[in-house]
Amino acid sequence: MAAQLDDAVGKAAPQTGKGDAPPAGRDGGSRPGGRGGLRALSRRAPRSPAGRTPGGPGRRTPRSPARRAPRSPARRTPYLLLLPALLATAVLLGWPMVRNLLLSFQNLNMKELIQHLTDWRGVGNYQEILGSEQFWRVTLRTLVFTAVNVVLIMVLGVLIGLLLARLGKKMRLTLSLALVLAWAMPVIAATTVFQWLFDSRYGVVNWLLDTAGWHAMAHYDWVGTQLSAFSVITVLIVWQSLPFVALNLYAATTTIPRELYEAARMDGAGTWKVFTSVTFPFLKPFFLATTFLEIIWVFKAFPQIFAINQGGPDRLTETLPIYAFTEGVGNLHFGMGAAISLLTIVVLLAMTAYYLRLTLRQERQEENEL
């Protein structure tokens, strides 16, 4: 009878192992990760909202280090560092863009400007511009002008950069110094020098051509025709842009492992084959980024064209920035000029979107190759 009572008490009371641990069961409850042990612990020691267990007042369960939230100052530090740049961008770029957008919807001429009148025109300025043959002619001229300049800049810049990589130390230093001086010259100062060089009466270029036997070029007016004026502007812009491409390409070539060139030479590759099989694939991101930057820089070129001949002769060398300035400030149609400038920005954004698409496509190709 006593043995039966002991068995009944043992079945009714919860059994504990060593150190008050749950006993081993059929489902492996004695193991730390056992299913039965977790159920037993959850039944015996439910967590309270304050993180305490009923059996241990005042004792908190330790939190996992991975769940610990980062400190709030560390979260705010990147945003605080970006705040000055964002404020400067908003003040110097954002607010003028908003004002320009508002002006593009107004009929703002000299009368409205003097009398402080606001004559809202809606999308009338945009309709008049997009329906004008002059706008599309200037847009096509700007695209062709940009394409010609960028091609010349990239081809000559790459050749000079590769030349820097092959020259000796003294010659490389001399050529690099010349490129840096050309790059450091202010735009207006360089434009003034080119005006002197190509002057019809006292220009050095005409004197050299006359001395070389081209007597018809003795008093040639370089800004008198569309083609010759664009030739002078192209030489000026290419000359100013070459240092950026050449020096950056030379710096990029120093990162290419020499073993690749040696392997290509051992396979019998010539200079062109080495460039197409080693240099160009390795520096493809550099070419994409540099070409995109040059497109933007040439597309929005204003002081070179305006200082040479103010878009002449007969407005035949006007690009979109010159066209916007001429209509807005020159002809006192400020609303029209604002609308043209915004359409210019739209064209640049379209080219930027195309560049980003090419960049993302290249990144996907590299990921697939890996």
Side-chain angles (χ1 to χ4, degrees):
M1 188 66 178
Q4 294 177 357
L5 289 174
D6 292 337
D7 292 337
V9 171
K11 292 179 180 179
Q15 299 179 3
T16 58
K18 186 177 180 180
D20 294 336
R26 294 180 180 178
D27 55 352
S30 62
R31 294 193 300 271
R35 193 180 304 169
L38 292 176
R39 291 177 179 176
L41 288 174
S42 63
R43 288 195 300 266
R44 293 179 59 195
R47 293 177 60 86
S48 63
R52 301 178 181 179
T53 56
R59 298 174 63 184
R60 297 179 179 270
T61 57
R63 292 183 178 179
S64 174
R67 296 181 180 179
R68 185 176 299 170
R71 297 179 179 179
S72 55
R75 283 183 175 181
R76 293 194 297 264
T77 300
Y79 300 100
L80 292 177
L81 294 176
L82 288 174
L83 187 59
L86 294 176
L87 290 177
T89 303
V91 173
L92 300 177
L93 184 62
W95 176 242
M97 285 289 294
V98 173
R99 290 287 301 169
N100 196 50
L101 179 63
L102 294 177
L103 285 178
S104 67
F105 295 109
Q106 299 179 22
N107 182 24
L108 183 60
N109 298 325
M110 183 57 67
K111 175 184 176 181
E112 289 79 11
L113 187 64
I114 294 176
Q115 297 181 359
H116 299 283
L117 299 176
T118 302
D119 183 13
W120 293 99
R121 197 181 178 189
V123 295
N125 290 331
Y126 293 97
Q127 291 176 349
E128 183 175 349
I129 293 170
L130 295 176
S132 171
E133 183 181 355
Q134 176 72 8
F135 171 77
W136 295 109
R137 187 163 47 244
V138 171
T139 302
L140 178 61
R141 183 188 304 150
T142 305
L143 294 176
V144 174
F145 173 75
T146 302
V148 172
N149 278 268
V150 170
V151 170
L152 291 175
I153 290 169
M154 292 304 299
V155 171
L156 297 177
V158 168
L159 292 177
I160 296 175
L162 295 177
L163 179 63
L164 284 172
R166 289 177 172 269
L167 289 177
K169 185 176 181 180
K170 293 182 179 179
M171 290 300 298
R172 182 188 303 126
L173 180 61
T174 303
L175 183 56
S176 299
L177 182 61
L179 292 173
V180 169
L181 290 177
W183 176 256
M185 182 175 290
V187 177
I188 298 299
T191 305
T192 304
V193 170
F194 269 74
Q195 284 178 317
W196 292 343
L197 289 175
F198 290 91
D199 185 72
S200 60
R201 298 182 62 185
Y202 306 105
V204 177
V205 175
N206 287 350
W207 177 80
L208 289 175
L209 293 175
D210 184 25
T211 305
W214 294 44
H215 302 294
M217 304 296 294
H219 299 285
Y220 183 75
D221 186 8
W222 286 94
V223 296
T225 62
Q226 182 184 30
L227 182 60
S228 60
F230 265 132
S231 300
V232 175
I233 296 169
T234 299
V235 173
L236 172 60
I237 291 179
V238 170
W239 178 77
Q240 289 179 324
S241 304
L242 283 179
F244 175 77
V245 179
L247 293 176
N248 279 282
L249 178 69
Y250 166 68
T253 55
T254 58
T255 63
I256 302 178
R258 294 299 172 185
E259 294 79 6
L260 298 178
Y261 289 110
E262 295 175 359
R265 295 294 184 187
M266 292 178 63
D267 292 339
T271 304
W272 176 252
K273 188 64 176 178
V274 169
F275 176 78
T276 57
S277 61
V278 178
T279 305
F280 184 77
F282 200 89
L283 301 181
K284 191 175 181 180
F286 162 80
F287 286 111
L288 286 176
T290 306
T291 304
F292 174 68
L293 292 177
E294 290 299 329
I295 288 174
I296 294 179
W297 195 78
V298 175
F299 190 90
K300 65 183 183 64
F302 177 84
Q304 298 93 335
I305 303 174
F306 189 80
I308 288 292
N309 201 20
Q310 298 182 1
D314 299 327
R315 305 182 65 175
L316 292 177
T317 58
E318 280 186 352
T319 57
L320 282 175
I322 304 296
Y323 182 47
F325 179 83
T326 303
E327 288 294 329
V329 179
N331 296 335
L332 302 179
H333 299 158
F334 300 104
M336 193 75 68
I340 297 173
S341 64
L342 286 176
L343 290 175
T344 304
I345 295 175
V346 170
V347 176
L348 281 175
L349 290 178
M351 292 190 293
T352 303
Y354 180 72
Y355 165 75
L356 293 177
R357 183 181 177 184
L358 290 179
T359 305
L360 293 176
R361 184 184 303 173
Q362 180 185 358
E363 292 179 356
R364 293 195 202 97
Q365 292 176 356
E366 293 177 353
E367 292 176 357
N368 294 333
E369 292 176 358
L370 294 176

